Amino acid sequence: MNVALGLVLSGLLSAQALGSLYEDGMAARRRGDTAAARATYERLLKEEPQSAGALEGMVLVSLSEGKNEEALDYLERWQKMGDSAYIQSLKATAYRRLGRRRDLAAAVIAQAALEPADLLLARRADSYLGEDSRGLMPFGALYKVLSQEGLE
C-alpha cells in the first residue's frame, strides 16, 4: 500500500503527503488507469473536501471517462473557491461534448474575460457573441499581430 494512502486512511495526512497523493493520482490518470486515479482523488476529497487539487483530479478523470455531467458538478464546486480561465476551459470542454452550445459560448466568453491578453480566445468568444449580434466589437473585428520589425 502506498504510504500516502495509508496516512489518508489513518487520518494523519500531512501537506506533503497530500501533494504526493495528488501526484499519484495524476500519474495514474496519465497511464490511463482512471479507476486508480478516481480512487485516489476520492480519498483525497474525503480527507480534504475543499482540496482544489482533488477537485481538479476528479474533473480530469470524469472527462477522461466521458462523464461530462459529473465533471461539471466537480467544476461548480471548484469554481466556488475562485474562478479561473482553466476552469472555464474545462467547462467549455464538457459543454461541447454534451452539445450545450449556449453554455459552451458562456464558458468561452467567461474564459476570454479572465484572459484578456489572449486574442485567439477573444476571437473565439467574439464568434459566439456574433451569433446573436452582440460581438465584442460591434462595428467590426480587428485581429492583427504587429511586429516590431522596421519600427526603429
Side-chain angles (χ1 to χ4, degrees), residues 28-29 32-39 41-42 57-71 74 97:
R29 191 184 65 79
D33 190 352
T34 57
R38 177 176 289 279
Y41 291 123
E42 285 172 346
M58 290 303 294
V59 168
L60 295 174
V61 167
S62 297
L63 289 173
S64 295
E65 295 175 338
K67 297 177 180 177
N68 298 299
E69 290 288 352
E70 181 181 87
Y74 286 114
R97 291 177 178 180

Side-chain angles (χ1 to χ4, degrees), residues 3 7 11-12 14 37 45 51 56 62-63 70-71 79 99 113-114 118 122 128 131 134 145:
V3 173
L7 290 171
L12 303 172
S14 70
L45 275 176
S51 168
E56 175 195 19
S62 297
L63 289 173
E70 181 181 87
Q79 190 175 12
L114 291 163
D118 188 336
Y128 285 113
E131 290 175 4
R134 295 182 301 143
V145 177

Side-chain angles (χ1 to χ4, degrees), residues 50 55 73-83 87:
Q50 297 301 311
L55 289 168
D73 291 341
Y74 286 114
L75 281 161
E76 291 300 323
R77 284 178 58 187
W78 187 14
Q79 190 175 12
K80 287 177 183 173
M81 296 177 207
D83 203 4
I87 290 172

